[in-house]
Amino acid sequence: MTREIIDYGQFAERLQRQQQGRPRWELLHAVQQEWGYEDPGGEHLHSRWGGENRTHGIDWGLPVPPALNEWWDSPLNSFAFKPRLYWVHTQWPPTISDLELPQDSTLVAPGGDRRVCVFMSEYHYSHAWGYLAAEAELPDPRVVVSIGGEWVVQSRSLSEFLMQLAFERMPAHYGWTLRVPRAVVDADPEIVRRLTASYRELGLLPWQEMGTDALSYGAPDAVIRHGRGPGADFAIVINARTRDALVAVAETLGVDWSGDKAIRPPSEVPEPLEDLGPATLAAGEADPRGRWTVLMRGHIAAPSVPGAAAALVSAPGALRSVASNRSGTTLVAGDVDGSVHVLETDDESPETIVLTLHRAPVTALACLELANGKRIVLSGDEHGVIRYWNTRRKPMRIPYDRRATPLRALAVAQLATGPAFAAAWADGLVRVYDLESDAVAGLRLGTGIRFLGLDEDGTLRVTDGEGTATLALDPDKLWPHRDLQLRLEDVDWGSLWTARGPGHMVPELIGKVASDDKKTAMDAVHDLYRLLVSKEAASTAAVPAIPFLVDLMVDPDNKSRSTLLLLIADLADVRQARGGRGDAQLAAVRAALPALRHLHDDPESPIRWAANELEQNCAASPA
């Protein structure tokens, strides 16, 4: 499908419509979507109380503007879901700054309140953003920024500032980027002349962060920032939704983009969807990797759900999905508003509990009573979000999984290996999850799946518009790294150190190296490289991590093998031992050599080259 081109040369008109009374967060929502940010589902990971919260300097008599409260509460607040996109600190409640407006300031009436309420600061605390205490009662007051010991207006309203902040940050993560140094622009003033002649301003006030004084211009699928201030190391920064759009702007401006690393690709890339045809599972068909075999195909009725489950949703036309456990003691229903209604009929005083867990219609449900008596509920929605929880506890804040396509079916069962569930998405991918180890298998079964059934004997029933196929699942081949995932939990990673702090992230990244998605696996290897590789053997987490990396390396289906083998080889390249760490790290890699030597004959030349690097590094002695 061809992507719609967004002409940001027309952004000023969009901004003007916003200022004339359109819904306050409409433009923020549009900007985030256009650049590729997707609502992750679930609840905020960063609360308003999670920033630089102080116990002094707060005027409790001042109201907090409704716009700021709305932003914190809104699912459109991408900062609260992914703070690392922003590199800012927040302050709640807003704090009165020590820096006041001067007596002759034109920002307030003579004799007016000259204080400023700070709600956010730049990551290095070089400056802060706030609103005037004199405007605190306004629903959406102006935002000022501290520059050189004085306050200047940054945005015409809080909502405009928060939209502009997202516009400043997100394109660098989700788009293609070309940065032109100031020296290049100073040497060729025609670049700026071509910029102003070819493109229109976005209509936003100049961005004042770190002395950049940056004015932004719009192009088809691209924005161009002209940093005019002394703090702008890069006088021109181009961000584009596509590489072609970036190149078009660069050629118009007459700036060189031909260097190998001049253009930076997006760092945030959504997981690609599958391009599958309709499901056509026939008896005898089998997965090439032996994970499933179709035993039979026919017309098998879906398990019946007590009618009382549907009655949990009383609003006419609001019901979207129902489910129950095998005994009928747990009934669940999902509605069009994203709420899940749960009733445990065997409670002493049965009462329907309503949880608003989704921001889209609930399209699938499943529930199971475990051997220990706990009851779990799974729910999925039109946005592709899966929530999972124990009915005796609050649901997890974050989704169990999410893909950018509607969820069509869920099924859960207690297998011989433990509880597991299956999920089918609209693009034809079915994932089967082992709940004990978090291992997951991706089965490309095809589109049109309407119902899934999972039985205790490990059979998966897949119903499409033409009938039902019964698949026998092989857990060992379905989750080849299940044992590895369980062994990861036996290591106290939090007590170990990496080059960037405690090792909490190491097990999760090792698990991602086993992903069926190549980008996910490769990104995890690169992250592990930054955490574990040090010629000074500074990482105590490296030694216990090495056996897991080797186990993944000997898996012929691993999607990151050449890069993963280089990671293992570089872990042997220890030159400065500290307290025996270098010796232990080198010994751990050397112990893995017998399992990896067959890679010298691998058909892929990058793997053969990496195997040679491994041998050389293991032969060397730490200095």
Side-chain angles (χ1 to χ4, degrees):
M1 185 175 66
T2 303
R3 189 176 190 179
E4 178 191 4
I5 295 175
I6 308 295
D7 186 1
Y8 289 103
Q10 306 297 318
F11 191 81
E13 285 77 11
R14 298 169 65 186
L15 182 63
Q16 188 177 34
R17 289 194 295 270
Q18 179 86 28
Q19 294 165 347
Q20 291 174 346
R22 297 293 290 270
R24 186 173 288 160
W25 305 109
E26 182 180 87
L27 199 49
L28 170 64
H29 184 40
V31 165
Q32 293 185 153
Q33 282 192 318
E34 289 166 8
W35 285 92
Y37 171 78
E38 297 172 344
D39 176 6
E43 302 170 43
H44 291 168
L45 297 180
H46 187 92
S47 85
R48 68 184 73 197
W49 295 98
E52 302 297 304
N53 303 313
R54 305 176 184 176
T55 58
H56 62 281
I58 297 169
D59 185 344
W60 297 97
L62 285 174
V64 175
L68 190 56
N69 271 308
E70 288 172 11
W71 180 72
W72 272 117
D73 294 335
S74 173
L76 301 179
N77 180 352
S78 52
F79 170 81
F81 286 103
K82 288 190 172 184
R84 64 183 180 81
L85 295 176
Y86 283 85
W87 294 100
V88 296
H89 300 282
T90 57
Q91 172 65 48
W92 189 270
T95 303
I96 301 299
S97 173
D98 293 333
L99 176 65
E100 292 189 347
L101 297 172
Q103 291 282 357
D104 59 351
S105 174
T106 59
L107 295 179
V108 295
D113 194 334
R114 295 182 291 109
R115 298 176 299 165
V116 174
C117 305
V118 172
F119 64 90
M120 188 177 291
S121 60
E122 186 271 332
Y123 190 69
H124 297 288
Y125 298 98
S126 298
H127 55 262
W129 293 284
Y131 53 87
L132 306 180
E135 298 181 355
E137 293 188 6
L138 297 179
D140 200 3
R142 292 177 293 176
V143 171
V144 293
V145 59
S146 56
I147 299 292
E150 63 176 322
W151 293 102
V152 298
V153 176
Q154 172 59 82
S155 299
R156 288 168 285 245
S157 66
L158 260 166
S159 56
E160 183 176 305
F161 167 78
L162 294 166
M163 182 277 296
Q164 187 174 4
L165 178 64
F167 217 163
E168 287 290 321
R169 297 298 199 258
M170 286 196 171
H173 292 280
Y174 292 93
W176 298 79
T177 302
L178 176 64
R179 304 190 298 181
V180 185
R182 172 173 293 281
V184 172
V185 177
D186 288 345
D188 184 4
E190 285 297 300
I191 293 175
V192 174
R193 188 195 66 77
R194 288 189 286 266
L195 170 65
T196 56
S198 304
Y199 302 110
R200 295 178 60 199
E201 293 182 25
L202 296 183
L204 297 164
L205 299 185
W207 189 251
Q208 298 297 331
E209 187 174 9
M210 301 289 286
T212 58
D213 187 34
L215 198 57
S216 294
Y217 298 78
D221 269 347
V223 291
I224 309 104
R225 293 174 181 82
H226 177 206
R228 305 171 298 180
D233 294 332
F234 298 94
I236 298 290
V237 177
I238 307 169
N239 294 122
R241 298 171 72 226
T242 66
R243 190 179 189 278
D244 287 346
L246 186 147
V247 170
V249 171
E251 291 182 341
T252 299
L253 298 184
V255 298
D256 181 25
W257 54 270
S258 58
D260 289 343
K261 296 182 179 179
I263 296 178
R264 297 186 178 187
S267 58
E268 295 279 342
V269 180
E271 179 186 342
L273 299 180
E274 298 291 342
D275 184 16
L276 303 176
T280 57
L281 297 166
E285 187 177 348
D287 174 54
R289 292 161 60 180
R291 297 174 296 176
W292 54 264
T293 303
V294 180
L295 298 177
M296 60 176 291
R297 185 172 177 86
H299 293 279
I300 301 175
S304 61
V305 177
L312 298 179
V313 177
S314 57
L319 181 68
R320 284 294 179 270
S321 54
V322 293
S324 69
N325 62 356
R326 292 184 183 275
S327 64
T329 54
T330 302
L331 307 178
V332 291
D335 65 29
V336 68
D337 295 321
S339 295
V340 179
H341 307 247
V342 183
L343 175 65
E344 294 183 291
T345 61
D346 55 348
D347 271 358
E348 290 184 4
S349 301
E351 181 180 357
T352 300
I353 298 172
V354 181
L355 303 171
T356 303
L357 300 178
H358 298 269
R359 289 188 281 278
V362 178
T363 54
L365 292 161
C367 52
L368 174 70
E369 184 170 353
L370 302 177
N372 59 10
K374 292 181 180 178
R375 298 174 186 181
I376 59 174
V377 176
L378 291 143
S379 57
D381 69 26
E382 194 70 25
H383 288 172
V385 172
I386 298 176
R387 303 295 300 270
Y388 161 82
W389 75 99
N390 178 341
T391 60
R392 297 294 187 265
R393 291 184 170 185
K394 289 184 178 181
M396 296 169 58
R397 295 180 63 85
I398 61 175
Y400 192 90
D401 203 353
R402 182 197 185 279
R403 299 183 69 245
T405 188
L407 192 81
R408 291 296 180 232
L410 286 168
V412 62
Q414 178 83 31
L415 307 185
T417 52
F421 78 92
W425 276 272
D427 67 341
L429 181 71
V430 173
R431 282 181 173 167
V432 186
Y433 305 80
D434 176 70
L435 288 172
E436 281 191 14
S437 66
D438 291 329
V440 58
L443 311 181
R444 302 173 79 246
L445 300 185
T447 60
I449 295 173
R450 298 180 177 181
F451 173 78
L452 291 176
L454 188 60
D455 296 330
E456 294 180 355
D457 62 359
T459 56
L460 177 67
R461 286 170 284 112
V462 181
T463 301
D464 55 36
E466 303 298 326
T468 298
T470 301
L471 283 63
L473 302 178
D474 185 333
D476 291 333
K477 294 178 180 178
L478 197 66
W479 304 305
H481 303 299
R482 181 178 186 273
D483 179 63
L484 179 146
Q485 299 274 25
L486 292 172
R487 286 189 288 116
L488 280 170
E489 297 176 6
D490 294 334
V491 179
D492 183 8
W493 297 101
S495 67
L496 302 172
W497 284 85
T498 72
R500 300 193 176 191
H504 298 291
M505 290 294 295
V506 173
E508 178 183 350
L509 291 172
I510 292 176
K512 287 183 177 179
V513 175
S515 172
D516 279 343
D517 178 62
K518 183 173 183 178
K519 186 179 186 306
T520 299
M522 293 288 285
D523 286 350
V525 173
H526 292 147
D527 287 341
L528 285 168
Y529 197 100
R530 287 189 284 270
L531 293 178
L532 301 179
V533 174
S534 168
K535 293 184 184 300
E536 299 180 356
S539 169
T540 59
V543 171
I546 288 168
F548 295 104
L549 301 177
V550 173
D551 283 354
L552 293 170
M553 187 61 224
V554 297
D555 176 6
D557 294 320
N558 187 271
K559 304 297 184 182
S560 61
R561 295 174 72 235
S562 59
T563 310
L564 176 57
L565 188 56
L566 277 177
L567 168 61
I568 297 170
D570 283 344
L571 286 171
D573 187 15
V574 186
R575 293 290 175 260
Q576 299 179 36
R578 291 185 177 182
R581 290 182 191 171
D583 295 338
Q585 188 167 312
L586 181 57
V589 180
R590 282 175 171 167
L593 274 180
L596 300 174
R597 282 207 165 102
H598 70 283
L599 298 173
H600 285 290
D601 300 321
D602 195 273
E604 296 184 30
S605 59
I607 291 180
R608 296 196 300 272
W609 184 86
N612 185 57
E613 287 290 300
L614 175 64
E615 289 282 0
Q616 291 183 13
N617 290 345
C618 284
S621 299

